[in-house]
Amino acid sequence: ERLALSSAGIGIIKGDAEMLGRALQPLPLKELCLRGNPLTRHNELASLCLTLPVSITRLDLSFQPLTTTMDLPAAFEGLARLHRLEWLDLSHMGLGANQHDADTLGLLVGRLQSLEYLSLRGNRIGAHRGDADRLASFLPASLTDLDLCDNRISSREVALLSRPQRTRRFRQQI
């Protein structure tokens, strides 16, 4: 049910992430950790997300530095297929550097109706005016834990994102 492939070099060779996703499809996989793999190289993150088994409930994609050539909307479209996903770690990816990242992220999160935990720690959310407002408008009612530590969020945005009807636990360092 669990597979951890942290820093295993997945994504170095074009096509290996998609191969991994296809190999995992028949498995009753619930938890997958791909932390620290170069999946943003060659758009491997998008290929992987489109082929992951839909049985996954917990996914760690942290420490994937975004590249300027990466197709973030395609990657997130693949993640949106994972309707059972309850726990998602997208920390330390550089999200928010592009002014459209908050919208793209919000659209993804809004489609994950089972999502209870979301880590966006160590990104650049808040770097563009309105990032937090746009993200807050998409948060699913199921979300109970949102980690936005080490982002660029103002105290007003903290209040907006931490409203009780949004989350029970909210983490942000000011």
Side-chain angles (χ1 to χ4, degrees):
E1 285 195 357
R2 287 185 197 163
L3 181 60
L5 296 170
S6 298
S7 302
I10 299 162
I12 291 175
I13 299 170
K14 187 172 176 66
D16 62 354
E18 182 179 358
M19 247 186 334
L20 173 66
R22 292 193 190 288
L24 296 176
Q25 281 181 350
L27 302 177
L29 197 58
K30 300 282 186 207
E31 298 180 20
L32 180 60
C33 177
L34 294 170
R35 173 188 198 109
N37 284 289
L39 292 169
T40 55
R41 187 176 179 181
H42 310 299
N43 278 322
E44 291 294 288
L45 186 58
S47 300
L48 175 73
C49 292
L50 288 168
T51 57
L52 285 174
V54 294
S55 60
I56 292 177
T57 59
R58 186 177 174 111
L59 182 60
D60 184 345
L61 293 172
S62 60
F63 293 91
Q64 308 288 334
L66 297 179
T67 62
T68 55
T69 59
M70 192 187 140
D71 189 352
L72 190 61
F76 283 175
E77 185 64 31
L79 281 178
R81 301 173 33 258
L82 306 177
H83 299 290
R84 296 180 184 149
L85 199 60
E86 298 170 355
W87 191 98
L88 180 60
D89 190 342
L90 298 174
S91 60
H92 303 280
M93 291 183 67
L95 291 168
N98 179 312
Q99 79 181 78
H100 301 292
D101 287 355
D103 293 325
T104 305
L105 179 61
L107 289 170
L108 162 69
V109 170
R111 292 173 63 188
L112 296 173
Q113 295 302 307
S114 297
L115 195 64
E116 297 172 4
Y117 171 85
L118 176 63
S119 178
L120 297 170
R121 176 184 289 259
N123 281 291
R124 296 179 186 151
I125 296 167
H128 302 280
R129 182 180 293 265
D131 278 359
D133 293 314
R134 288 191 303 279
L135 182 57
S137 69
F138 290 106
L139 294 178
S142 61
L143 194 67
T144 58
D145 195 348
L146 176 63
D147 185 349
L148 284 165
C149 291
D150 304 320
N151 277 281
R152 299 175 181 177
I153 297 177
S154 71
S155 56
R156 184 196 69 76
E157 292 168 323
V158 168
L160 174 71
L161 287 163
S162 62
R163 287 184 291 184
Q165 68 267 29
R166 289 279 184 218
T167 59
R168 287 190 207 108
R169 290 180 294 190
F170 177 81
R171 287 178 272 177
Q172 169 62 29
Q173 296 170 341
I174 300 179

